[in-house]
Amino acid sequence: KVQGGVTLRVLVGADGRAAQIHVARGIGYGLDERAIESVRGWKFAPARDAAKRSVPVWITIEVIFRLF
């Protein structure tokens, strides 16, 4: 049984894709890499500035694992 969460810091680019991903808190067992692979494939709604232009922004994501 393995349970836990991997906390990632993700730079979401103006195109809505994950430009950079860093592990802020990992749990090991190869799950940190699995979390990165999963988030790399996600498409985000990009942040917008006051002029409604897409801008890059850092966000924090927690990926939860429950393996029985």
Side-chain angles (χ1 to χ4, degrees):
K1 287 189 189 183
V2 176
Q3 289 193 104
V6 177
T7 303
L8 302 173
R9 294 277 299 144
V10 180
L11 177 63
V12 177
D15 62 352
R17 298 279 180 198
Q20 294 179 32
I21 303 174
H22 301 283
V23 177
R25 184 175 54 94
I27 58 175
Y29 305 107
L31 297 176
D32 301 346
E33 292 79 16
R34 293 283 186 157
I36 290 170
E37 289 174 24
S38 294
V39 171
R40 196 173 302 282
W42 295 359
K43 174 77 172 169
F44 298 89
R48 303 210 180 261
D49 63 8
K52 306 286 189 219
R53 293 179 300 231
S54 297
V55 294
V57 65
W58 283 98
I59 63 171
T60 302
I61 298 174
E62 185 173 19
V63 180
I64 304 295
F65 290 96
R66 289 188 183 98
L67 307 173
F68 298 102

